[in-house]
Amino acid sequence: MKKILKIAKLELSILIYSPVVWIVLPIFCVLCGMNVLNTLRDYQTALALNGSGGSQLTRDIYGLPGGFFVDIQQTLYLYLPILTMGIMSRETSSGSIKLLLSSPVKLREIILGKYLALVMLCMAFIAILGLFALVGVFSIEHADIGLLISGLFGLFLLICTYAAIGLFMSCLTNYQIVAAIATLAVFSLLRFIGSVGQSIDVVRDLTSVLSISGRTETMISGLISTKDLAYYLIIIFLFLSLCILYLQNQRELKSWKVKAGRYAVLLMMVLIAGYVTSRPVFIGYLDLTAGKQETITASSQKIAKKIDGELKITTYVNLLAPNPGLLMPVFRNGDLESQSMYKRFIPGIENEYIYYYHNLVDSNLSVTKWNPNFKGISDVNQLAEKVALSSGYDIHDFMRPEQIDKLVDLKSEGYLQVRKLEYKGKSTFIRFYFNDEYGAYPMEMEWMAALKRLAVEDPKILFLTGNNETGITDKDDRGYLYILADKGRRRAMVNQGFEVDTINLDKQDLPGKVDILVIADPTVSFSAATLAKLNQYIDRGGNLLVTTNPGRQSVINPVLLALGVQVKPGILVHPDKNLGQDQIAAVYAASATSIDPNVAMFQQAKRAVILKGASALAYSQSGAFVIQPLLQSPDGGWNSAAPINSNAPVLLFNAAAGDEKGIFPVSVTLKRKVKGKEQRIIVSGDADYISNVQFANAERVVKEERQLSADILFRWLAYGEFPVVDDRSAPKDLNITATKGQISAMSIGFKFIFPAVMVLMGIIILFKRRNN
């Protein structure tokens, strides 16, 4: 070890006394300063204009997809060849290599000593990057320090790997320029080998072990895995071992078979180690991000642990559906990587991909609609052949329509891209959302909803039909398709764990398993037979959601009579210059806080739910149910009111004028114990606030409010099981605390003063050496 340290000290002094180091480091500092500080200034300006905080500024400025660390990772390989090109080649060109090889110093001590010197030099680069990470800690409020540490660690491993490669390439030639060019070539090979032969399974698995692309990105995102750590250590070991073997073969007179055998054994060891350390069962993870942003939440982990055996995931890819390329073999590793967060807790995941072509159920999504090159082609086989030819695919790799129909029924999925999850005889689909603002892939909530359906009995929602109710397949403004049954929409209840269907009680009896029955704004009175069946369902403890609109009292009140709730005549109104005459800004009642986490969020943020054309409800606590208001009219203003069970005309009270202060419930929750189980019912005097019209062409914040309101309703009725709660802690690094003047001062310091100081230090050191 002492010899290694002596060699390292000597080699480091040679590197420090080289003018190249004092040129490269200042240039690196200037470029880093331009990147970080210009980005900080841009974000500060944007936040000042928007008047509100951003989202995860540490990640946006430093992390994925295009932050500072990503930019450095993409350019770091340009600096190392300049520094490593002479570390061994100068020994060869000067002839001193012969003295080294004949000295009582072992080859591994020579190589490790020189490599240790390079690592120490690499620390100078990391120190500069660390300074700019401190800039982020100083400038960003509640900066994610864990993400910064993880990113720096990933870049350190990367630059150390580059140093090992550069050292080996310097062993191969007497010429430093040749060594530098060869080093760049190897860097490029390791970066792009992951894209070679990706359509062939065996080649894809082999090249993924060797490829360096994507390794650092995971750490830059804040997640350190033993797989990536082992990769860097294996590559470093490989190239240092190659250095030793090469010098050993130069010194020894052995046959070419023996020499080749040594290389073959080394390569085999590396491949085996890479393969073993990349197996899911041997991978460990350390999430350093604030709030564990790169790990599924604690509640999701509990769901995942219920999957204790093999989980088979079959991905069905239709050549004629939107964006099949995303799931083709060439991108297989990237697709599998999207499951990595879940594989950490479900090691039994097994994947299969089936490729086919078939006409879509919704012809508006067909390739013939949006690609002019395929318009007018009606024959599905001819269309598939042309699409395959234009995309570079082999049509023989795809099943024909009749073959896929025999294998699996995908008609209900519209023949769109979909995954089928199978576990212990149960199955469910998890879908892709190609028109979604968050990307095509299902996110944690969709995954957990699907897994929960497999692990427990999935809840069933039945929508009543036959009385002109709002429908789950209706695309008009009044319909509930968007919120309930749109399979192409990520947050629809059908994608959040629910099975959704309809029933006509005039023609059918209620099945034994109904988790939630929905009566959505009927406009035609119920028959005596239907009322009897509804009362039987209520008496046996079934959960119920009833929504209605003004003017429907005669239709809906007979159903609500047994509940102790009635819809009052008239429309709630409230003078507000920002709203229409028939709109009110309803708020969640203080007593409803415990209903759902989203209610507390609405209350804390003082956010209202804008209702258009809502009825007031009246209720009595003398019955069997405990009734509490959920949504209620705002304090003060005009509110319609009439006594319960009364046909009196609408009464208007003007709270602003002091006649009477009225706060009326718009929706209420009802609960009671039936046979040891809590029965839950919600009645709403507005049927439209979760209808299609509220989502069509609405602003993003409005859509989110409506979605959260719908989640509150159905999660409470499903006892909190579905939709799955996203209980991930909110990020805190939302604002930049550094002032414009401070950023300008740091910019001057890191772009001019600090680099100038380094250049001055280099001049002093070089002159000192010259004088000595």
Side-chain angles (χ1 to χ4, degrees):
M1 188 65 187
K2 290 183 179 179
K3 293 180 180 178
I4 294 175
L5 292 176
K6 286 183 179 179
I7 294 172
K9 182 179 179 181
L10 176 62
E11 195 63 42
L12 184 60
S13 66
I14 295 173
L15 289 171
I16 290 176
Y17 286 129
S18 169
V20 174
V21 171
W22 302 104
I23 295 174
V24 171
L25 288 178
I27 291 174
F28 182 71
C29 182
V30 170
L31 294 176
C32 289
M34 292 174 62
N35 187 310
V36 173
L37 295 165
N38 289 349
T39 303
L40 271 174
R41 184 182 292 108
D42 292 342
Y43 270 90
Q44 185 192 53
T45 302
L47 293 175
L49 292 174
N50 295 334
S52 60
S55 62
Q56 294 182 264
L57 290 177
T58 313
R59 180 200 63 191
D60 293 344
I61 296 174
Y62 288 88
L64 299 176
F68 170 59
F69 287 159
V70 177
D71 292 340
I72 293 299
Q73 178 260 335
Q74 293 173 348
T75 58
L76 197 57
Y77 72 98
L78 297 173
Y79 300 95
L80 266 295
I82 304 173
L83 301 175
T84 63
M85 62 185 182
I87 196 158
M88 283 300 294
S89 61
R90 67 168 172 265
E91 307 281 3
T92 306
S93 61
S94 65
S96 59
I97 187 66
K98 295 179 181 180
L99 295 175
L100 279 174
L101 294 179
S102 61
S103 66
V105 181
K106 296 178 181 179
L107 287 177
R108 67 171 179 269
E109 292 175 336
I110 298 172
I111 295 301
L112 291 177
K114 288 181 174 290
Y115 179 69
L116 183 58
L118 287 174
V119 170
M120 292 177 182
L121 183 60
C122 292
M123 291 296 294
F125 285 89
I126 300 303
I128 292 173
L129 294 176
L131 288 176
F132 288 102
L134 288 176
V135 169
V137 174
F138 171 76
S139 303
I140 302 172
E141 184 180 19
H142 303 297
D144 191 342
I145 297 176
L147 184 145
L148 296 173
I149 293 174
S150 177
L152 288 172
F153 181 64
L155 292 172
F156 174 68
L157 290 175
L158 179 65
I159 197 171
C160 289
T161 303
Y162 285 162
I165 297 171
L167 176 58
F168 171 65
M169 302 312 295
S170 184
C171 289
L172 299 181
T173 177
N174 299 344
Y175 304 101
Q176 296 186 22
I177 297 300
V178 174
I181 295 173
T183 302
L184 283 173
V186 175
F187 290 169
S188 300
L189 177 64
L190 288 176
R191 286 172 61 86
F192 298 110
I193 194 172
S195 61
V196 176
Q198 295 301 288
S199 59
I200 305 172
D201 292 344
V202 176
V203 177
R204 182 174 57 248
D205 292 340
L206 179 61
T207 55
S208 67
V209 173
L210 297 175
S211 175
I212 202 170
S213 296
R215 307 282 180 173
T216 313
E217 280 89 339
T218 304
M219 296 188 188
I220 288 173
S221 69
L223 181 67
I224 299 174
S225 71
T226 56
K227 178 181 72 172
D228 296 330
L229 178 59
Y231 170 83
Y232 286 117
L233 295 179
I234 289 170
I235 296 297
I236 291 172
F237 170 79
L238 170 64
F239 281 95
L240 293 183
S241 299
L242 286 174
C243 291
I244 296 171
L245 284 180
Y246 178 78
L247 294 178
Q248 185 176 353
N249 289 337
Q250 292 291 101
R251 186 168 64 176
E252 297 178 350
L253 295 175
K254 298 285 186 181
S255 67
W256 69 269
K257 292 182 180 179
V258 173
K259 295 179 180 180
R262 290 172 176 173
Y263 290 119
V265 170
L266 175 62
L267 184 59
M268 185 62 64
M269 289 172 56
V270 166
L271 290 176
I272 292 174
Y275 179 81
V276 171
T277 55
S278 65
R279 296 304 90 192
V281 68
F282 298 118
I283 300 176
Y285 297 89
L286 178 62
D287 188 349
L288 293 179
T289 59
K292 306 299 180 186
Q293 299 295 323
E294 296 300 314
T295 305
I296 60 175
T297 62
S299 59
S300 295
Q301 292 178 34
K302 291 179 181 179
I303 298 172
K305 288 178 180 178
K306 295 179 181 179
I307 308 297
D308 57 1
E310 179 182 328
L311 174 65
K312 183 179 179 182
I313 302 178
T314 306
T315 304
Y316 295 96
V317 185
N318 185 357
L319 177 64
L320 304 183
N323 296 317
L326 200 64
L327 302 170
M328 288 299 171
V330 68
F331 297 113
R332 178 76 53 82
N333 286 334
D335 182 57
L336 293 175
E337 187 64 26
S338 70
Q339 304 175 23
S340 60
M341 188 182 290
Y342 315 107
K343 285 183 178 179
R344 290 165 55 183
F345 301 94
I346 312 174
I349 289 180
E350 296 292 336
N351 277 275
E352 180 182 2
Y353 289 78
I354 294 178
Y355 299 91
Y356 71 98
Y357 62 89
H358 201 295
N359 281 326
L360 304 182
V361 173
D362 186 353
S363 60
N364 290 321
L365 298 176
S366 173
V367 65
T368 58
K369 293 288 185 180
W370 52 265
N371 192 324
N373 295 323
F374 305 120
K375 287 186 177 181
I377 303 176
S378 57
D379 182 76
V380 66
N381 296 311
Q382 183 184 359
L383 177 62
E385 289 179 3
K386 287 187 175 295
V387 172
L389 181 63
S390 66
S391 303
Y393 305 135
D394 186 348
I395 191 62
H396 299 98
D397 293 335
F398 297 84
M399 287 186 174
R400 295 168 62 87
E402 59 272 15
Q403 292 174 318
I404 192 66
D405 285 337
K406 287 182 181 180
L407 180 66
V408 62
D409 181 14
L410 296 176
K411 186 175 181 180
S412 61
E413 296 300 317
Y415 295 105
L416 296 170
Q417 325 298 8
V418 70
R419 298 195 205 271
K420 186 177 183 181
L421 279 59
E422 298 174 275
Y423 174 71
K424 292 185 177 180
K426 295 183 68 176
S427 66
T428 188
F429 286 106
I430 188 167
R431 303 171 181 93
F432 294 87
Y433 313 99
F434 291 105
N435 294 321
D436 189 84
E437 59 184 314
Y438 297 104
Y441 279 96
M443 298 171 68
E444 183 176 336
M445 291 178 65
E446 292 77 60
W447 272 99
M448 291 305 115
L451 294 176
K452 203 169 186 180
R453 287 187 65 174
L454 295 176
V456 300
E457 195 171 12
D458 51 308
K460 187 171 186 177
I461 302 176
L462 280 184
F463 262 71
L464 201 61
T465 62
N467 297 84
N468 196 32
E469 294 91 347
T470 292
I472 60 172
T473 59
D474 296 340
K475 295 182 179 181
D476 58 18
D477 290 350
R478 184 169 172 256
Y480 281 5
L481 169 68
Y482 200 78
I483 199 67
L484 263 298
D486 187 352
K487 293 181 179 179
R489 182 176 172 271
R490 181 186 303 277
R491 300 284 294 278
M493 295 300 151
V494 72
N495 290 320
Q496 297 299 319
F498 290 98
E499 180 185 349
V500 184
D501 206 348
T502 60
I503 188 170
N504 187 331
L505 292 185
D506 284 331
K507 302 176 181 178
Q508 302 167 272
D509 292 328
L510 281 165
K513 172 164 173 53
V514 180
D515 294 280
I516 304 171
L517 180 65
V518 180
I519 305 174
D521 194 26
T523 61
V524 178
S525 298
F526 296 102
S527 66
T530 295
L531 281 174
K533 291 178 182 179
L534 289 174
N535 288 328
Q536 289 176 3
Y537 175 78
I538 294 171
D539 291 341
R540 78 187 194 197
N543 289 359
L544 180 67
L545 171 63
V546 180
T547 65
T548 189
N549 277 323
R552 315 272 205 256
Q553 296 89 342
S554 62
V555 176
I556 203 66
N557 278 344
V559 178
L560 303 178
L561 187 61
L563 305 178
V565 178
Q566 294 283 269
V567 179
K568 302 175 76 64
I571 298 177
L572 286 169
V573 293
H574 182 275
D576 190 322
K577 63 180 181 180
N578 297 317
L579 300 176
Q581 292 183 351
D582 57 349
Q583 291 181 313
I584 63 167
V587 295
Y588 281 96
S591 58
T593 304
S594 61
I595 292 293
D596 189 88
N598 287 337
V599 173
M601 184 201 68
F602 270 97
Q603 293 170 334
Q604 291 171 4
K606 297 182 179 180
R607 291 165 65 178
V609 180
I610 307 302
L611 306 180
K612 182 177 181 179
S615 297
L617 303 179
Y619 57 87
S620 171
Q621 294 283 15
S622 61
F625 290 95
V626 176
I627 307 177
Q628 288 184 330
L630 180 58
L631 274 175
Q632 63 187 25
S633 61
D635 185 2
W638 292 86
N639 294 280
S640 71
I644 191 169
N645 297 331
S646 172
N647 293 321
V650 177
L651 304 177
L652 294 176
F653 301 104
N654 186 356
D659 295 333
E660 181 175 343
K661 181 178 180 180
I663 300 177
F664 295 96
V666 181
S667 62
V668 295
T669 63
L670 300 85
K671 59 183 181 180
R672 66 175 178 177
K673 289 287 186 179
V674 178
K675 298 179 181 179
K677 181 180 179 182
E678 185 174 87
Q679 180 183 20
R680 295 182 174 184
I681 297 173
I682 294 178
V683 180
S684 173
D686 183 10
D688 295 333
Y689 79 105
I690 57 171
S691 64
N692 295 339
V693 69
Q694 301 298 334
F695 294 90
N697 301 320
E699 295 181 2
R700 179 177 178 178
V701 64
V702 175
K703 290 182 180 180
E704 183 63 19
E705 288 177 353
R706 301 302 177 178
Q707 181 65 56
L708 293 175
S709 298
D711 290 347
I712 290 169
L713 300 179
F714 289 100
R715 187 181 292 120
W716 188 73
L717 292 171
Y719 303 104
E721 294 291 329
F722 299 93
V724 175
V725 177
D726 183 5
D727 56 358
R728 188 179 302 281
S729 58
K732 297 180 179 179
D733 52 338
L734 304 178
N735 286 294
I736 293 177
T737 55
T739 64
K740 186 176 180 180
Q742 289 171 334
I743 294 177
S744 297
M746 287 187 291
S747 182
I748 294 172
F750 283 110
K751 291 180 184 179
F752 301 103
I753 298 176
F754 188 54
V757 170
M758 282 194 289
V759 171
L760 183 60
M761 285 177 58
I763 293 172
I764 295 172
I765 290 173
L766 292 176
F767 270 100
K768 181 179 179 181
R769 181 194 181 194
R770 181 180 178 183
N771 294 332
N772 292 337

